[in-house]
Amino acid sequence: MTGQSIIANYQLKRILGKGGMGTVYLAQHTQIDRKVAIKELKPEYARDPAIRIRFKNEAALMANLRHPNIVSLHDYLETPNGVYLIMEYVEGISLDHYIHQVSGPVPESKAIEVFVQVLDAVEYAHRRNIVHRDIKPSNMMITQDGSIKILDFGIAKHIDTPEKGLTQTGIRMGTIFYMSPEQVLAREVDARTDIYSLGITLFEILTGTNPYQSDLSEYEINTKIVQEPLPKARSFYPNVSDRMQSILEKATAKNPNDRFQSAAEFKAALLNDQKISRIQSSENTVEWIIRKNPENGIGEKPVFEKNFLVQVTDKEFLLLDNSFGMVTNHKLMFYKGKDLFEKGERNEIPLHRIISSELNTHRETTSGIISLIIAITVAWFYLHFLTILMGVILLVFSVLCFFRFPTVTLVLNDWKKVKMKSWPWDIHAASRYVMTVRDQINKN
């Protein structure tokens, strides 16, 4: 983290995120109160003269990009302490977080509405000979007004500009899960490299998951990208259509010549000459609702919920399956009486009988303090292998007591409540279960 609290005229507020190239801060102008995002390049990159020159050139290019779906670059700073990009601050949620923590797989008609915004922005950049090279859901933000903004052109490349000396630095541009075969093989890239990454991103939007498992080694992922066909989207989510599968296959073809040759061609294939317009059709309107919910137990971060205005279908499909139960588009399964040491009795209920789902957390502070005192007492006064072992176990348990224990509460339409309690390591599963149930309640 930078040792400075002020960069130029901007007061640093907090860290927004960290990536392979640097750290992004929320900052506020000291005179006019404008909020911005400041990206600080990692010191090892900032000290490299070749990289500094390339980023300066790219900043000049990006400063001239004006598109509603691309984050604007306000300024570029070089100081003795580092290199900084001053960018538009987007208040919202990343598409990556939305897919994996809120929505799960997005219906195809709605995915098209969202994705054409991305394709319009990428086509705009490509027409100016700028290739992004790191297209992925985490580099896309859903704003409060429902639009999509593409972030982080920090490793973008102007097609007509050579990158002399950069291959010697050992820097690998891009994120492995979204890299094209030519990126993996360190070959020359062009606009079709972004087309490949866009295909992987669309795959993730439609299925709710990346085609490559996170537990694979980088070598294994590289091999799959270069040598193996992309896994079938339907093997991850059964509702992906044949037409969409063929589009994904074309976008992610190994040979760039076999892909869509432009983002405009990709968009035309998605629309398929149908009259699909997010402006003209109220049936295809996507509402991204952002609000702060003081009852969600997840802190003060904005909670995003999605409300797709769609017709209800009779076809049932699975949306979520974890330690708290299963959620489909028609019903949910839960474990009645689930507690720390009890799995609970499996029950099912139609979604229309659920009024709300809530997530609360608590800490077993009293139990933790008592266990800590006992552990110290036992280990101090009774020095024996078994007592020391027992003391260590109690110590571990006491530490665990200070973590957040989740409680999921389902409120039924007769105002009865169902509570499921679990251990701290289930906090993310609890959050996703609650968010998925809320999402389906909103739809119905």
Side-chain angles (χ1 to χ4, degrees):
M1 180 176 176
T2 181
Q4 307 173 86
S5 60
I6 294 180
I7 297 175
N9 292 320
Y10 295 97
Q11 175 77 45
L12 300 186
K13 296 297 184 181
R14 59 184 172 89
I15 294 176
L16 293 175
K18 294 184 178 182
M21 299 295 287
T23 303
V24 180
Y25 302 91
L26 171 63
Q28 191 166 12
H29 198 285
T30 56
Q31 302 299 319
I32 60 176
D33 293 332
R34 179 174 69 174
K35 290 182 179 180
V36 298
I38 297 182
K39 182 170 184 178
E40 177 190 41
L41 295 186
K42 285 184 177 180
E44 59 266 32
Y45 297 155
R47 287 191 294 266
D48 189 310
I51 295 179
R52 291 172 77 105
I53 291 173
R54 182 170 68 82
F55 269 83
K56 183 177 182 179
N57 292 338
E58 289 173 2
L61 292 171
M62 294 308 303
N64 295 318
L65 285 183
R66 292 288 182 267
H67 191 277
N69 300 117
I70 295 178
V71 169
S72 301
L73 178 66
H74 297 320
D75 203 355
Y76 170 85
L77 296 177
E78 283 192 35
T79 73
N81 296 317
V83 179
Y84 308 94
L85 302 176
I86 314 297
M87 302 175 292
E88 172 191 359
Y89 170 60
V90 179
E91 189 169 0
I93 187 173
S94 73
L95 182 59
D96 177 72
H97 179 86
Y98 189 84
I99 294 169
H100 296 286
Q101 301 297 325
V102 180
S103 71
V106 177
E108 288 186 8
S109 61
K110 308 309 168 184
I112 291 173
E113 294 178 53
V114 174
F115 206 66
V116 293
Q117 298 181 56
V118 176
L119 291 171
D120 286 342
V122 173
E123 176 67 15
Y124 172 86
H126 286 177
R127 287 185 180 277
R128 285 150 184 79
N129 292 329
I130 296 176
V131 181
H132 190 286
R133 294 200 293 183
D134 198 21
I135 295 286
K136 56 185 176 181
S138 60
N139 274 341
M140 300 174 190
M141 293 290 292
I142 306 167
T143 68
Q144 291 188 351
D145 65 4
S147 62
I148 297 288
K149 291 259 189 182
I150 299 181
L151 311 174
D152 205 356
F153 274 82
I155 66 168
K157 176 184 183 295
H158 194 277
I159 295 174
D160 297 329
T161 303
E163 293 183 308
K164 293 180 180 179
L166 288 182
T167 54
Q168 282 77 16
T169 65
I171 298 174
R172 184 164 175 171
M173 300 299 177
T175 303
I176 183 63
F177 293 101
Y178 306 89
M179 278 188 179
S180 65
E182 58 268 27
Q183 280 180 294
V184 170
L185 296 171
R187 294 175 179 170
E188 188 64 29
V189 302
D190 57 27
R192 295 170 298 181
T193 292
D194 282 349
I195 298 298
Y196 182 94
S197 301
L198 286 164
I200 300 296
T201 298
L202 180 58
F203 183 106
E204 197 159 337
I205 292 173
L206 293 170
T207 65
T209 187
N210 188 274
Y212 302 111
Q213 300 174 19
S214 59
D215 58 351
L216 294 175
S217 69
E218 185 171 326
Y219 173 80
E220 290 173 317
I221 297 173
N222 286 342
T223 302
K224 288 179 178 294
I225 290 173
V226 175
Q227 298 181 3
E228 299 180 13
L230 189 73
K232 296 289 185 182
R234 193 173 291 174
S235 65
F236 290 82
Y237 185 63
N239 280 25
V240 177
S241 68
D242 291 337
R243 186 178 79 87
M244 195 63 73
Q245 177 62 45
S246 65
I247 289 174
L248 291 173
E249 290 174 357
K250 184 173 180 62
T252 58
K254 304 299 180 188
N255 187 337
N257 294 326
D258 296 332
R259 297 175 200 155
F260 298 113
Q261 299 302 292
S262 68
E265 185 182 342
F266 197 161
K267 177 181 175 180
L270 280 176
L271 297 180
N272 194 28
D273 296 327
Q274 298 176 18
K275 295 181 180 179
I276 300 177
S277 171
R278 59 189 175 93
I279 298 176
Q280 297 174 352
S281 173
S282 60
E283 287 187 351
N284 287 334
T285 298
V286 181
E287 299 179 29
W288 308 88
I289 302 172
I290 177 172
R291 63 184 176 85
K292 287 194 176 182
N293 185 349
E295 299 179 355
N296 64 13
I298 311 176
E300 298 181 351
K301 293 183 178 180
V303 176
F304 272 72
E305 295 183 350
K306 177 190 64 175
N307 180 18
F308 282 133
L309 304 182
V310 295
Q311 295 180 348
V312 177
T313 62
D314 292 329
K315 188 173 182 180
E316 184 176 15
F317 53 86
L318 181 67
L319 295 169
L320 179 71
D321 184 3
N322 66 22
S323 57
F324 287 87
M326 294 189 300
V327 183
T328 75
N329 56 322
H330 288 174
K331 64 187 178 185
L332 64 85
M333 184 275 286
F334 61 92
Y335 294 102
K336 185 177 180 179
K338 176 179 173 60
D339 210 333
L340 299 183
F341 298 100
E342 295 183 22
K343 183 176 181 180
E345 178 185 353
R346 179 182 172 125
N347 282 261
E348 290 186 359
I349 190 169
L351 273 170
H352 65 80
R353 288 198 56 201
I354 305 295
I355 295 176
S356 68
S357 64
E358 303 168 0
L359 173 60
N360 297 295
T361 62
H362 72 281
R363 291 179 172 86
E364 299 286 349
T365 307
T366 303
S367 300
I369 293 173
I370 293 174
S371 299
L372 184 60
I373 294 173
I374 295 175
I376 294 173
T377 303
V378 169
W380 183 263
F381 291 102
Y382 302 96
L383 296 178
H384 185 274
F385 172 75
L386 292 178
T387 56
I388 292 175
L389 178 61
M390 185 174 69
V392 171
I393 294 173
L394 287 171
L395 180 62
V396 172
F397 177 75
S398 65
V399 171
L400 180 65
C401 288
F402 290 97
F403 286 87
R404 294 188 300 162
F405 289 71
T407 299
V408 172
T409 303
L410 302 175
V411 182
L412 310 185
N413 57 2
D414 58 3
W415 296 104
K416 291 182 179 179
K417 293 185 178 181
V418 175
K419 292 188 177 182
M420 295 182 283
K421 300 179 181 179
S422 193
W423 295 94
W425 49 78
D426 284 330
I427 184 72
H428 294 297
S431 176
R432 188 162 186 184
Y433 185 84
V434 167
M435 291 300 183
T436 304
V437 174
R438 284 182 183 175
D439 185 45
Q440 293 307 302
I441 292 173
N442 286 338
K443 283 184 179 180
N444 294 331

